Structure formats: structure tokens, C-alpha cells
Amino acid sequence: MDDVVWSGTWVAERLGVELIGGEELPGLLGLALRRNPKRAHLLVSNVLGKHVPQRPAVVYDSGFSLGLRVRDLLGPDEAARSVVVGYAETATGLGHSVADGLGFAPYLHSTRRPVAGVTSAGGFEESHSHATSHLLLPEDPKLLAGDGPLVLVDDEFSTGNTVLNTIRDLHERFPRERYVVVALVDMRSAEDLGRLETFAREIGARVDLVTGAVGTVRLPEGVLEKGQALVAAHETAQDAPETSGTPGTPEAPGAPVPAPRGPLTAPVRVELGWPSSIPDGGRHGFGAPHAAALNDALPAMTERLGAAVGGARRILVLGFEELMYAPLRLAVALERTGRDVSYSTTTRSPVLAVDDPGYAIRTRLVFPAHDEPADGPGERYAYNVAGAGFDAVVAVVDSVADTPQLHAPDGLLAQLAAHIPHVVLAVVPSYVPALGAEPAPQTPPAGSRAAAAAAAAGSADATGSSEAADVTPAPDAADAAHAPHALRARAVPAHATGLRAVPARETGRRAVSAHATGRRAVPAHATGGAVPAPDDTQAPERSSMLPEPLRGPAFSSYAPEEVGWLLQDLSDVELEAPTEEREEAIQSGGAHYAESLPVEYQPSDRYQELFHAALETSAARIARAVGTVTETVLAERTGTPVLVSLARAGTPVGVLMRRWAQARHDLELPHYAVSIVRGRGIDANALRWLAAHHDPADVVFVDGWTGKGAITRELAEAIEEFERAEGITGFDPEIAVLADPGSCVRTYGTREDFLIPSACLNSTVSGLISRTVLRADLVGPDDFHGAKFYRELAGADVSNAFLDAVAARFDEVTEDVATGVKELLAADRTPTWEGWAAVERISEEYGIHDVNLVKPGVGETTRVLLRRVPWKILARRGAGADLAHVRLLAEQRGVPVEEIDGLPYTCVGLIHPQFTRGATGADGKAVVSQ
């Protein structure tokens, strides 16, 4: 790293500018010079995705992690009431990512593009910016009128003038008690440090500041004049044609654009299939329903984009001025397919380009504005794109910017084609607010199926086709004149069609998303005529009615590629009850345990310490088991396995198996999570979806561990019933588990009964997802089973920490795994069901007389203590650290721990019907006391 030149060195040496701050600051910021009468130097962010191409995941995480910090600062209640505002043009994507991290909060960004018929809700000036006037144009005029916290996001917090102007303007009309300012870097001078606090006292509100790094820039006397002179000297030295970057011009020493390549190839257009009901960004507001719908639509759009770029090695996704979030999400999704992707955006800010390793802007492309800006025509720029070694570039613009100027001989596409072999144009429909209509609903929670359907309803474009990308040559300048009109004609929000998207709560059922049916979204069994029912003669097949899997971060804290949840989101339904009340309800009405949820256990500090200690000591042991079970599956299955974990205990194991296959074999195994309920079987709709998208013979069911083998038997019976009822065959009911202490399966990582740390906690180690729910008024015959996303527990989430800790041990256990798998494949692994026999014996010896009230193994015993009203715990004499958390939980709940000899499991949890009225039998219903 000592050989790396800081990208601010050139400016620092010539102007005497100093960057003061922590060691991380030079990695975050470089320096450049610009033509600006107010501030000659420019802090160039390396993680913003504006001037410097960067990995999309780095850019998105920079904002998302700040959003998580704001959520921690506010607490879940205040975070749920917050609204986020980002600044144009550089922070529109950053602000949106912060809103995502905050819990997919309603988001609005300022804009310099007036929109006819949309009334401004505010405006302010940015004193040091190249272009100063900002407008706030929310579709819903009430968006900024609430009294919850207002979160303001900019890339850099320097003088504070921009933020003060914003707060002053909005506070006069919409006063509130709390503001939070968020920035990648706090670069205030000593003189400016107290301004925010003084201002807060003046308006009588609290103003917090959350930043990624802190520092300042020390400017010598006369730096503005020196900088302007330096810019003028270099621009004069650079020949004007080369500065313009026109294709075909020769390269001169110091020119900001390398010599064009040749011959040139025509750009191609890819039809993304972006649903027109999803806004292209936060210019008019972006809510949780939009986030859910976008998350659902991304996989199909990513597939089309991947096909369009073909076999390109290095890909740049290039956004357009304020349009930063949409191309960023596309870039992140494309990167997660394993491609080498970078991300940046064009800009209206003029910056001097100097081809020197110690300078932040080494090349620039210059082209005319192509969105008919309100302030007239002018130059626009793309920095560090030419000469960067990209094989393909995807230029993402909105339909308003798809004009003849874009396709002109000196336009952006031509400039890109002069330096990059393969140019792809992707056009996102410009969102048109439904003036005078009911605003897009903000109430459904992020990631909910109701939210996804509400956002997608009315969109005839929201198809989920996985066909090869529809790629056509981009029109020339003459043809381009007609393209924007055609695209704008499709950019109609759902409520502009005369139909109102009905959230699931109004019908009592989940609405079917449009992309799953290939038609306009219609809530399942909607009544009252709010949305017309589809014509019966055109009704799709049952399986095609099922929506695409839910994915993080809209649903769960796992990355979207880690797992797709074949569930419906019930986060907005109150399902929890205290344990005693819940169990009494189960018994008194013959209710099923899956119809409600226990209150999520909130671990004490002591218990959390036990979890982390257990993880530290057992991570390698778990990694060995993960490797063993994964290698066994790969050895014994033909084709590419499709991992299907049984939610939720099996899901962390499925993610780890996927990571092992990726790390050791460079395999990207599909992974889904499905619900299975004792006495009700596996979710048949999930099986239908799997059969429609994969070969059933490739499916491998995954669970965390076996106890007495009840779920193993349940799955086998459910698969047999499904095949008989549906005529779909090929699913293998064999379950692959991490630990099989009960000797119930053939495919396992170990048969030892040891502490798997993921059993210690509930949702906070399982992607913040609840147990699955099956209740007739919430889950219809054509619906997936349900679950909740506890996004309010994000501060306590250790899901990814658990995965990362285990995956970090993969390399050290590789040889042990190889040896163990070889032995295992040669051994007799026939299940002996000795665990079941032990459970029957214990049931009789302790006078329980029902095997369903005996929960064997560390994992099942932990569940008893976390979710039920336990009677006593049986522990194998001499069991040590594996039982530390069990002993602590038993102590907290006043449950005796009885040590005995000859126990085949490390421990067993007992539920007695005399003490637990809700103890459940084989059918999931209450067992009457003997």
C-alpha cells in the first residue's frame, strides 16, 4: 500500500492544500480543481459513485450503513416516522441508500429539473455548488408535513450552509422537533463547528449529525485565486478539440481523453422491463411499496442486462446526473451475479482533468446536455471512464433524457463508443406524478407482499420474464426524436390508469404481483369492484399466479443473492402474544401452533456474551460440518443442486452451504427458504413454484439439525401427498442437515449433538425473520405461507456476523472435510432412529406419555426455553460449554436442570401438559393432560 499515490497529491503539492483527519480519509477522498468562482478545489469521493468508478456494493453499503446508524440513533419508533431528503445531484443515490438502511423510509431528493404541474414544496440554495437552485417536488404534498424526524443527506458536510438553508425553509412551514444530518464526511472548519448547535437552539429543535468520517481541509491564503489560475493555465495548454473529447481527435500530451479506439460499433438498446409504476428515483417520492416492487423486479431486469453485455469482462454501469439510485441498484444486482462491475454517473459539474496518478480526475468525456434542462443547453461530463479498461458500458438514463442529443455524433453514446468496445443503452421510464390523484400508499411495510402488489398494480410492463434480453440497435439521431415520446407514453403510475392498487389488508388476502402473472396486478379474491377481476378465459395457470421470492434487504437482513424466501410478508399483522396466552388459545380453541407467534426473546447482555463465546469456540466445528454436508450433496447429486431450506432454522445452514460451494467450487447454487408446519405439511404452493422454475430432482431440502425426526417424517409424508394430488414428481424428501444426533437422515455434517450458535437466538440470527405462519384468514389456498420481518430488531441482528464467522474458517478445515467426506461416502449411513427410541423411553420414564412433549438435542431444548413453558431440562452428566446457554436460560426461567447418565443427547427439554396447556401433539394441536 506504500506504493499507492494518494489522488490528492497533485493539488496538495501545487496549492498547499492539506487534508487533515484520520488514516481512512485519503482512501475516501481525493482532490481536483474546477472552474467555479466560489471554491476552486473539489473533494472527490471514492465511494459516492459520481466522479470515480467504484464497486457498486461499496457505493450502496456506504449509504446503507449510515442509514443503520441513524436507525440506531433514533430508535425503532422514531425511525418508523422519519422521512429522508437527499441533495441533487451528487447525493441522490446516497440519500436513497440511507433511506433503505433506515428501514426503507419514505425518500425524496431535491432536483434541478422542474416538472410541469408539480408544485414545489420548498427550495433552497447550495452556496458552493456549480448549480445552486434546488427544488422539492413531492407527489404527495403531505410527505414533508409530518412531525417525525427529517433526515437530510449530502455527500459532504462542509460549511453547513446547504443544510441550514434547507432546515430554515422547511421549518418555517413544517416545524418539527428533530432533524438528523447525514454525510459521508464531516469536513467543517473550526469556525463552522458550532454553527449547527447554534442554529438548533435558534429554531428550538434537536439537530444530530451522523457521518462516516471526520476531517477538514486546510487552505492557504489566496488558494481560490491560485486554483483558478492553475485551471486556466491547464485548459489553455490543452487543445480545445481534445478537451471536447470528440471521436477521432488526436491525443496530445496532458490531454484529458485518451486516443479514441476504432473502428466504432453502434450502441445497442436493452429493454429492461422496468415497471412504470416504480419511480425512477426519489424526485417525487419513493416509499416502502416502491422498494418492495423494485426488489421483486430486479432479478428479471438483471438477467436482461447480463445478456445484453454478453461476455464482457469489465463492465461500467453509468448513471445520469440525478438518476443515481436506479442504475446503482441495477449495478449491485449485476455485480452479485459474479460479474466485474463498476459504477459511476455523469455530471453537470465542470472539473479539470489531469492524467496524473496523484490527481482524482484523470480523464473526462464532454458531451451536450440531453434532457432539455430548464437552465438551457450546456456541457455535461463523464469522468475517469475513458482509458479505464472497460469492455462494456451500460448507460442508464430516464426517458426524458432519451433525446436526439443523447444519440448525436457528439452525444454521450458516441463519446462512450469512441473509447469502450460495447455500449448498451438502458432507459428507465421517467415517473410521471398522478396529479390530483390519490398518492402512492406509504403505509405497507417495506418488503411486504401488499407493498409489492400496491406498487406494481396497474403496470402492464411489470413482467417477470427471464427470456434473453431484448436488444436492438439504438436509434440514430433522426429516429431518436420519436423514442422519448413512446417511452413517456408508458411511464404512467398505477393510480393514473383509473385503477387503485388495493393493499392486501383491504381484502384480507395477499395481492398477486403483476410480474408473476404477466398481466396487471389484481389482488387475489378482491371484492367490491375496487380492481376489476381478470377475464376467466385468460386466467393464468395456478403456478404462474405465485409471486417471485422475497429477498433482502426488503425482506430479511440477508443479501438478496443469499436466499429467496418463498413466503408472503405478514410484517404488518399483529401475531405475537405472551407464551401463556398463546398456549391457552391453542388449547381452548383447538388452534394450531402455526397460527400465532411467540414474542421474540430479547437476549440479555450475559446471554449475548454466551452466544459470541460459543460462536468463537465452535465456528471451525460448524465450518467442518457445513463443508461435509455440502460436499456430500455435491458428490451424490447429479446436476446443479437447488438448496431449499426449511425456514427458519434451516436457512442459515442453506446460506452457509451456498457459500461453501461458491468458495470451494465457484458454484452459484440457487437457495430458497420454504415453510413446513407439523401436522400441515410443507407449503404446496412453494413446491409448485419450485417445480415451475427448477427440476424437482435437483432440489435438496436443508434443515439445521434433527431432534427425534418429526420433521423428517412430516416432509416425506407431505411430498407423497403432493405428488398424489398434483401429479408433479421428482422431489426427494431426504433432508440434508448440519447435525443429526438422532440418526434420522443419511446426509449430514455430523452426528454429534453440540451447540450450533444459530440455535441460541431466534430471528436475530436468522435474517430477522419470524417462524412461519399458517392461518386461514391470512393464507389462502393459492398463497405462500407467511412470516414477519422484524426490521425493528436490526440493532441486535447477528445473522451475518454468524455467517461470516463460520465462513472465515472454511480454508482451515478444507483438508479435514476432504478426509471426512471420503470416509463418510464409504460408510453405512442408514438412519437408525435411535433418537426416536430414546425419546419414547424418556416419555414413559417421566410419565409424560407423549413424544411430542420431549424435545431432544441442544437445538430443540433451546427452542423449548425460548418459546414454550418448559417443565425441566435433562442434561448429560459432564456436558460442558455446549450447555452454558441452556443453563443460563433455565436459570432465568426458573427451570430445574437434572443431570443424568447414559443420555444419547447432550440435553433434552421436557414440556409437561400439566404445566403447559398449549403443549402440542403430532397434529400441532393441544395434548390433553394424562
Side-chain angles (χ1 to χ4, degrees):
M1 292 298 293
D2 294 338
D3 296 332
V4 176
V5 179
W6 174 46
S7 61
T9 304
W10 193 92
V11 173
E13 290 177 346
R14 285 159 178 77
L15 295 184
V17 175
E18 294 182 66
L19 190 65
I20 310 298
E23 294 181 354
E24 77 282 358
L25 212 56
L28 295 174
L29 296 172
L31 291 173
L33 299 176
R34 59 180 177 176
R35 288 180 279 133
N36 187 306
K38 302 172 183 178
R39 195 169 83 172
H41 74 281
L42 177 69
L43 294 173
V44 180
S45 173
N46 293 322
V47 298
L48 181 64
K50 175 55 72 172
H51 302 86
V52 179
Q54 178 59 272
R55 284 185 51 224
V58 172
V59 177
Y60 185 68
D61 185 64
S62 296
F64 193 90
S65 59
L66 286 170
L68 292 176
R69 289 178 56 195
V70 175
R71 184 175 181 84
D72 290 342
L73 172 70
L74 295 176
D77 292 340
E78 287 294 277
R81 301 171 59 237
S82 62
V83 175
V84 181
V85 173
Y87 289 94
E89 76 178 28
T90 55
T92 60
L94 174 66
H96 210 145
S97 302
V98 169
D100 287 357
L102 188 53
F104 299 91
Y107 175 66
L108 179 74
H109 71 68
S110 67
T111 181
R112 297 188 179 102
R113 180 194 288 178
V115 177
V118 181
T119 303
S120 173
F124 47 90
E125 299 296 315
E126 187 175 8
S127 58
H128 62 262
S129 175
H130 171 73
T132 58
S133 295
H134 290 248
L135 299 172
L136 294 175
L137 304 176
E139 176 179 13
D140 181 357
K142 299 187 294 296
L143 182 63
L144 297 173
D147 58 0
L150 185 65
V151 181
L152 303 109
V153 184
D154 207 355
D155 59 314
E156 167 198 339
F157 189 59
S158 51
T159 65
N161 288 336
T162 303
V163 170
L164 297 185
N165 289 335
T166 309
I167 296 177
R168 181 177 290 108
D169 179 81
L170 294 176
H171 196 74
E172 289 177 356
R173 285 176 290 170
F174 312 118
R176 64 188 72 226
E177 296 180 354
R178 191 167 190 182
Y179 298 87
V180 181
V181 180
V182 181
L184 288 173
V185 289
D186 175 5
M187 300 300 291
R188 290 176 294 173
S189 65
E191 294 78 14
D192 291 322
L193 285 178
R195 292 184 63 198
L196 206 59
E197 292 78 3
T198 301
F199 179 77
R201 288 194 297 270
E202 290 175 357
I203 66 172
R206 175 175 173 176
V207 183
D208 294 294
L209 178 63
V210 176
T211 63
V214 178
T216 190
V217 178
R218 184 174 297 162
L219 302 174
E221 190 72 25
V223 68
L224 178 59
E225 293 75 14
K226 290 180 182 178
Q228 291 172 337
L230 193 56
V231 171
H234 273 265
E235 288 187 334
T236 301
Q238 293 172 356
D239 184 70
E242 288 142 7
T243 301
S244 69
T246 302
T249 59
E251 180 180 11
V257 182
R261 64 178 191 88
L264 307 185
T265 55
V268 298
R269 181 189 296 268
V270 58
E271 295 297 336
L272 285 176
W274 183 285
S276 57
S277 60
I278 303 176
D280 50 301
R283 180 178 287 113
H284 304 298
F286 196 102
H290 303 130
L294 175 58
N295 199 61
D296 281 348
L298 271 174
M301 292 192 289
T302 305
E303 187 168 350
R304 297 181 189 112
L305 204 57
V309 298
R313 290 185 308 104
R314 296 193 63 223
I315 304 162
L316 173 68
V317 175
L318 184 67
F320 155 62
E321 297 184 30
E322 295 177 8
L323 186 72
M324 296 187 71
Y325 182 74
L328 174 58
R329 291 297 305 274
L330 290 167
V332 169
L334 188 61
E335 182 184 29
R336 285 172 173 167
T337 66
R339 309 295 286 265
D340 184 355
V341 182
S342 296
Y343 163 80
S344 63
T345 51
T346 65
T347 177
R348 58 163 58 209
S349 178
V351 185
L352 176 70
V354 177
D355 190 11
D356 187 282
Y359 190 80
I361 304 296
R362 300 191 62 177
T363 66
R364 74 175 179 183
L365 298 176
V366 186
F367 50 93
H370 52 90
D371 63 339
E372 302 175 358
D375 56 354
E379 290 183 344
R380 299 294 186 263
Y381 312 91
Y383 296 113
N384 295 316
V385 172
F390 295 115
D391 303 305
V393 57
V394 180
V396 183
V397 304
D398 59 8
S399 53
V400 167
D402 187 17
T403 61
Q405 288 81 8
L406 176 67
H407 303 267
D410 63 344
L412 172 61
L413 297 182
Q415 300 287 14
L416 294 173
H419 299 278
I420 299 176
H422 188 38
V423 179
V424 176
L425 173 64
V427 180
V428 177
S430 300
Y431 185 72
V432 181
L435 303 177
E438 180 182 355
Q442 296 290 335
T443 50
S448 70
R449 223 9 83 177
S459 170
D461 297 332
T463 62
S465 171
S466 59
E467 297 296 322
D470 182 7
V471 180
T472 57
D476 57 25
D479 294 335
H482 303 288
H485 176 75
L487 286 163
R488 290 190 189 102
R490 294 202 300 269
V492 181
H495 39 267
T497 64
L499 301 179
R500 183 171 65 87
V502 181
R505 289 191 302 275
E506 297 186 22
T507 64
R509 297 287 305 283
R510 173 187 46 78
V512 179
S513 58
H515 69 268
T517 64
R519 306 180 56 209
R520 178 166 289 117
V522 180
H525 305 283
T527 59
V531 178
D535 183 80
D536 289 341
T537 61
Q538 299 178 358
E541 291 296 323
R542 188 177 190 181
S543 62
S544 67
M545 294 288 290
L546 297 170
E548 292 301 294
L550 299 173
R551 295 184 183 272
F555 186 83
S556 90
S557 59
Y558 292 136
E561 72 274 11
E562 301 269 35
V563 59
W565 302 85
L566 294 176
L567 299 169
Q568 63 166 313
D569 189 347
L570 299 179
S571 299
D572 54 346
V573 180
E574 188 66 39
L575 292 166
E576 294 82 6
T579 302
E580 290 78 8
E581 292 181 16
R582 177 171 173 265
E583 296 193 353
E584 183 172 2
I586 291 173
Q587 183 189 25
S588 62
H592 195 280
Y593 77 91
E595 294 176 355
S596 62
L597 292 173
V599 176
E600 281 287 304
Y601 169 71
Q602 297 302 301
S604 64
D605 291 342
R606 184 180 168 195
Y607 189 83
Q608 288 178 333
E609 291 173 3
L610 277 177
F611 166 81
H612 289 290
L615 180 56
E616 176 65 26
T617 58
S618 63
R621 195 175 182 184
I622 297 170
R624 192 177 301 110
V626 168
T628 300
V629 69
T630 308
E631 294 294 346
T632 302
V633 167
L634 293 175
E636 295 190 333
R637 293 292 185 112
T638 58
T640 300
V642 177
L643 304 178
V644 178
S645 59
L646 304 181
R648 66 186 169 182
T651 304
V653 179
V655 174
L656 285 169
M657 291 177 66
R658 184 183 182 278
R659 288 192 180 188
W660 178 278
Q662 184 181 50
R664 308 310 307 169
H665 302 283
D666 200 25
L667 290 175
E668 294 285 345
L669 300 185
H671 176 212
Y672 307 97
V674 302
S675 169
I676 187 169
V677 176
R678 194 175 74 240
R680 302 285 181 86
I682 197 167
D683 186 343
N685 286 317
L687 294 182
R688 291 188 191 99
W689 191 94
L690 289 167
H693 292 79
H694 299 280
D695 183 346
D698 290 335
V699 168
V700 178
F701 293 103
V702 176
D703 207 356
W705 56 85
T706 62
K708 54 184 174 286
I711 290 298
T712 306
R713 297 184 178 192
E714 184 80 44
L715 179 62
E717 294 171 2
I719 294 296
E720 183 180 349
E721 172 60 28
F722 176 81
E723 292 183 342
R724 184 166 53 249
E726 299 291 330
I728 299 174
T729 60
F731 287 107
D732 185 347
E734 173 75 19
I735 303 178
V737 299
L738 196 63
D740 179 36
S743 188
C744 305
V745 298
R746 290 187 68 259
T747 308
Y748 51 85
T750 179
R751 276 186 168 156
E752 297 177 6
D753 182 21
F754 70 98
L755 171 60
I756 301 172
S758 61
C760 292
L761 301 171
N762 286 328
S763 67
T764 53
V765 77
S766 307
L768 298 181
I769 300 302
S770 74
R771 272 193 39 243
T772 58
V773 174
L774 180 59
R775 204 170 83 188
D777 62 325
L778 297 172
V779 180
D782 298 325
D783 294 336
F784 291 142
H785 293 187
K788 299 184 71 166
F789 175 24
Y790 291 117
R791 53 179 57 81
E792 67 273 14
L793 299 181
D797 187 25
V798 293
S799 304
N800 288 291
F802 168 69
L803 298 174
D804 293 343
V806 175
R809 303 296 186 92
F810 283 171
D811 287 344
E812 69 183 70
V813 303
T814 301
E815 291 186 7
D816 288 347
V817 168
T819 302
V821 170
K822 185 177 181 180
E823 295 174 354
L824 197 63
L825 292 174
D828 181 5
R829 291 175 284 136
T830 304
T832 65
W833 295 91
E834 63 179 345
W836 187 276
V839 166
E840 289 182 323
R841 185 181 71 251
I842 291 170
S843 174
E844 295 304 314
E845 287 179 359
Y846 282 83
I848 298 174
H849 309 301
D850 191 291
V851 293
N852 293 290
L853 305 183
V854 179
K855 304 294 184 181
V858 177
E860 291 302 306
T861 302
T862 303
R863 287 180 169 185
V864 169
L865 289 164
L866 290 178
R867 303 178 187 173
R868 306 299 295 271
V869 180
W871 178 34
K872 63 174 62 177
I873 305 300
L874 308 183
R876 181 196 296 157
R877 194 179 306 279
D882 282 340
L883 285 188
H885 77 292
V886 169
R887 296 181 190 279
L888 176 59
L889 284 175
E891 175 188 323
Q892 291 175 341
R893 299 203 61 181
V895 178
V897 178
E898 180 179 326
E899 292 195 351
I900 61 175
D901 296 314
L903 194 66
Y905 296 92
T906 303
C907 62
V908 176
L910 303 182
I911 305 170
H912 199 293
Q914 291 179 344
F915 291 85
T916 308
R917 291 174 293 181
T920 54
D923 62 354
K925 295 186 177 181
V927 174
V928 179
S929 300
Q930 301 296 318

